[in-house]
Each structure stands twice: as C-alpha cells, then as structure tokens.
Amino acid sequence: MTLDNGRKLLAIPGPSVVPDRVLNAMHQPSPNIYYGPLKEMIEGMIPDLKQLAGTTGDVVFYITNGHGTWEAALSNTVAAGEKVLVLGTGPFALGWGAVAQTLGIEIEVIDFGKQSSVDIAQVETRLLADKNNDIKAILVVQTDTSTSVRNDISALGQAIRATGHPALYMVDCMASLGTEPHFMDEWLVDVMVSGCQKGLMVPAGMGFVFLNNRAHAARREMDRVSYYWDWAPRVAPEMLYQRFAGTPPTHHLMGLREALDMILIEEGLENVWTRHRVFAQAIWAAVDSWGSAGRMWLNIKEPDKRSFAVTSITTSHFDGGKIRDWCENVAGVTLGIGLGMADAKSPEFENYFRIGHMGHMNVPMILGTLGTIDAALKALDIPHGAGALEAANHVIATASR
Ligand SMILES: Cc1ncc(COP(=O)(O)O)c(C=O)c1O
C-alpha cells in the first residue's frame, strides 16, 4: 500500500527543495532585459554572491549547470596540451578532470579513494617535484556530493602556496556554497565554481565562477577562449546582455534574489552554516544507531571530514535501493542513489544510499526523513539498532539550548 499524500519531500543532494517564496518570486511577467529593475537587481546581487563566497574578486554568471562551470573555469585558464592535477575524493573531481580531457588538457590524477579526504602531504610532494611548473591548475571539490567527504580547503590552500608552486587552485563548491563555511580569499582559492540548485535553493540552470587576479592573469595568457565561456566580457559588461553572453536567465535571477535575502538578510550566513551542521550531526547520530546492528554505516568515518550538506550511507547484506523505493513509493520521501559509488549496472550499486540535507530544510523535514527511513527498515525487516530518532532528537535539542 501507499501512505503517500501531502507534500512530497526531496531529500537528494541536489537539486534541493525550492522554497515556495523562491518559486513565487519567479512567478512574474517577463521584465525588460536592458534597463530598469532587473539590471539593478543583478548589480545588487553581485556583492551578495561575493559575500557568500568570501571574496573581493569577481563573480561571473553562466546559464548552465555545474558541468558548465567546470568547463568555463578550465576554458579561461588552461590551454589544450597543458596539464592539470586532479585530486580525486569521489566522482566529482574526477568528473571535472574528464571534462578537462575533452578540452585537450592533460590530466594527472591523485586518487584518494571514496572514503578519504585529500592527503595534503602527497599534494605537496607532487608539487615540489614539478620543477618545470608543468601543472597549471589543481582541481578539487570542497564537498564530494557522492562520497560526502569534505576536504580541508583552507589547509590545502596554505600548503599549495607554501610550496611556491604557481598552479591555480580551483575548487568546486557546488554542494558547499551556502551550506558550509567557505572563505575563498582567506583560503587562497583562485577559482571557485558553484551552482544555484543546492545550497542556494533555486531550480537548476544557473552557475557561478568566482575568480581572483591570478585567474584573470591566466585568462590573459590564453590565445583563444570560446565566445560563450569567455569570462572577460562578462566581468565588466557594457550592457547587461553581455554579462550573460546573451539573454539573461530572468526568472532564475528573481528566484536567486529571494534566496539570497533568505540566506543573508533573514537567517544570516553563520546561522545557515550552523543549521546545516546540526542537521548533519543529527543524521550521523541516527545512522550510527541503526548501524549498531552491523548492517549500515556512514561512508566517511572521521566526523571532521564529513559534509554538512549530504550524508552517504553504505549498506551491507541488504539492498539500499529497497529503502529508497519504500521511502519514495510508500511514504513520499525521495532519497539519493549511490551516484558514482559503484557501477550503476553492478549489484554493488545498491549498497549505498544518500540523504541530502542541504538548503531549505527544517527540523520536521530532517526528522521526517529519518523517521521514514526508520519505518522502512522495520517494514523491510532489515536488522537495525534502536534509538536512531532519539539520538537525532538529542543532537537537535542540545543544539537549540
Ligand atoms: C560537487 C559537485 N560538482 C559538480 C556537480 C555537477 O553539477 P551538475 O549536475 O549541475 O552539472 C555536482 C552535481 O551534483 C556536484 O555535486
């Protein structure tokens, strides 16, 4: 039977739940795209996005998803035949590397696997050995949305610069912008890419590239950059039209304005980060309780290396897909698949599921998701430890005092 009525809950790690307020803000007649309120709204949004990223550098908008921002960042800075160093902590940095290859860029991968963060000492050793400075850029994710590992972007940035190597430090914050702290300038990041569909709570379709002066200098060295990805005209456009290399994504921008107000003015960025941390800790406590029966565990063992936006769970001797199916079809909660954790055609693919807890989430949404998983474990007769909801509640209650 199904018990699914009421509002469905999307608990995947992006796209995330879009607040009604954001949807309503998008529900407007098409505006003038050359002058007037839309232009003013966009100009006002730029400092807000930079505040979110912790930078005094520039931000460029693209009508694209995350993959497009990967291509944009590379197209402006690394020429075909040059080399980038990819720091793999799951499929997303590796995916960025794959995009680089399609641009004719040589990639060198240090793969840290799917349960670990970047080992900074290995990166230092590799950079110190690169006497000719062949490596033009280093690609890494802050949060890998698949493995749910979080890399220490600050420590890595300090280490890279301490080697004296000039490679650009490029960081993917697709899942971490607006969900966990990021201080681009302080952490010595040169290029940061992100999108609107996770922490920023807007339907997918808009990407951002943040860049500093070192990134501008790399762009100037490029012989040729394709019209669409070239960030130079977008940074200082004569007309709004040029900021987007054509028609702006008018309604996405209206939604983003509303979301930025919610994040920066109403809740406050520090609170947003704290809320994400508390929800993540509540989820970890619940999974640890279920896992005491030996059938499931958090993919990332060390708490300080876990994302605050997504939690990846490994299952043993039962099919994680069955939990997802029960939650979606019986209860109306959609959980994440084990994307990139195993080959989609292999039985191992079903040994994972993920909980997305980013963006527009509150206590009932988190506890509702955990309660639904708890019911699924019982309905499917999957052995699990008791007290998961109590453990999660304890985290939330303690944090709220
Ligand atoms: C960390 C990370 N980087 C990049 C991407 C790619 O973004 P998109 O699917 O919007 O192309 C994703 C998507 O989930 C992601 O989680």
Side-chain angles (χ1 to χ4, degrees), residues 53-57 182-189 212:
T55 186
T56 57
H182 184 90
F183 299 99
M184 178 174 170
D185 293 355
E186 201 183 311
W187 294 357
L188 306 174
V189 174
N212 67 9

Side-chain angles (χ1 to χ4, degrees), residues 13 88-95 111 113-115 144-148 299 312 324 336-346 348-354:
T89 51
F92 285 105
L94 300 177
D111 194 346
K114 291 178 179 163
Q115 269 90 34
D144 186 290
T145 323
S146 174
T147 60
S148 70
N299 185 52
S312 185
R324 290 197 311 272
I337 58 172
L339 184 74
M341 295 301 287
D343 187 325
K345 292 199 186 96
S346 82
E348 232 200 288
F349 183 71
E350 296 301 353
N351 290 356
Y352 303 94
F353 68 96
R354 290 177 301 160

Side-chain angles (χ1 to χ4, degrees), residues 13-14 65-68 70 92 141 143-145 172 174-175 197-198 339:
N65 58 16
H67 280 73
W70 284 344
F92 285 105
V141 295
T143 287
D144 186 290
T145 323
D172 169 321
M174 217 61 67
Q197 75 273 25
K198 297 187 197 271
L339 184 74

Side-chain angles (χ1 to χ4, degrees), residues 13-15 60-75 91-100 103 139-141 143 145 170-177 191-198 200 202-210 228-229 252:
V60 183
F61 297 76
Y62 292 95
I63 302 176
T64 185
N65 58 16
H67 280 73
T69 64
W70 284 344
E71 186 160 337
L74 292 163
S75 300
F92 285 105
L94 300 177
W96 198 356
V99 168
L103 296 171
L139 313 185
V140 67
V141 295
T143 287
T145 323
M170 301 212 206
V171 181
D172 169 321
C173 291
M174 217 61 67
S176 51
L177 192 69
V191 177
M192 188 269 267
V193 301
S194 192
C196 67
Q197 75 273 25
K198 297 187 197 271
L200 302 194
V202 174
M206 210 169 19
F208 314 102
V209 179
F210 297 86
Y228 191 75
W229 295 126
H252 273 73

Side-chain angles (χ1 to χ4, degrees), residues 125-308:
T125 306
R126 179 62 194 98
L127 292 179
L128 289 170
D130 185 33
K131 301 283 182 225
N132 297 331
N133 296 337
D134 288 332
I135 296 168
K136 296 295 167 207
I138 299 159
L139 313 185
V140 67
V141 295
Q142 181 168 7
T143 287
D144 186 290
T145 323
S146 174
T147 60
S148 70
V149 77
R150 177 157 52 87
N151 286 305
D152 186 340
I153 297 302
S154 169
L156 183 58
Q158 305 290 342
I160 291 170
R161 289 287 82 90
T163 64
H165 197 291
L168 287 178
Y169 183 29
M170 301 212 206
V171 181
D172 169 321
C173 291
M174 217 61 67
S176 51
L177 192 69
T179 64
E180 24 203 326
H182 184 90
F183 299 99
M184 178 174 170
D185 293 355
E186 201 183 311
W187 294 357
L188 306 174
V189 174
D190 298 306
V191 177
M192 188 269 267
V193 301
S194 192
C196 67
Q197 75 273 25
K198 297 187 197 271
L200 302 194
M201 311 180 291
V202 174
M206 210 169 19
F208 314 102
V209 179
F210 297 86
L211 56 135
N212 67 9
N213 284 337
R214 281 168 39 84
H216 276 302
R219 162 67 190 88
R220 286 193 292 273
E221 294 292 304
M222 295 290 286
D223 287 340
R224 180 194 148 269
V225 177
S226 71
Y227 175 84
Y228 191 75
W229 295 126
D230 194 358
W231 66 37
R234 292 172 181 252
V235 169
E238 276 169 34
M239 289 180 73
L240 183 58
Y241 202 69
Q242 288 156 339
R243 191 177 283 292
F244 296 91
T247 306
T250 49
H251 291 69
H252 273 73
L253 290 160
M254 293 171 187
L256 180 62
R257 179 63 272 164
E258 188 73 11
L260 289 172
D261 285 350
M262 290 170 75
I263 294 170
L264 296 174
I265 299 173
E266 294 169 27
E267 187 173 357
L269 192 49
E270 294 273 340
N271 282 337
V272 170
W273 292 336
T274 304
R275 175 169 54 81
H276 280 86
R277 177 178 51 74
V278 171
F279 289 167
Q281 288 169 337
I283 289 167
W284 306 341
V287 178
D288 281 342
S289 299
W290 289 323
S292 60
R295 296 293 184 90
M296 58 201 291
W297 56 88
L298 294 160
N299 185 52
I300 304 299
K301 299 283 164 291
E302 293 155 273
D304 65 335
K305 298 193 168 137
R306 290 182 197 147
S307 160
F308 295 157

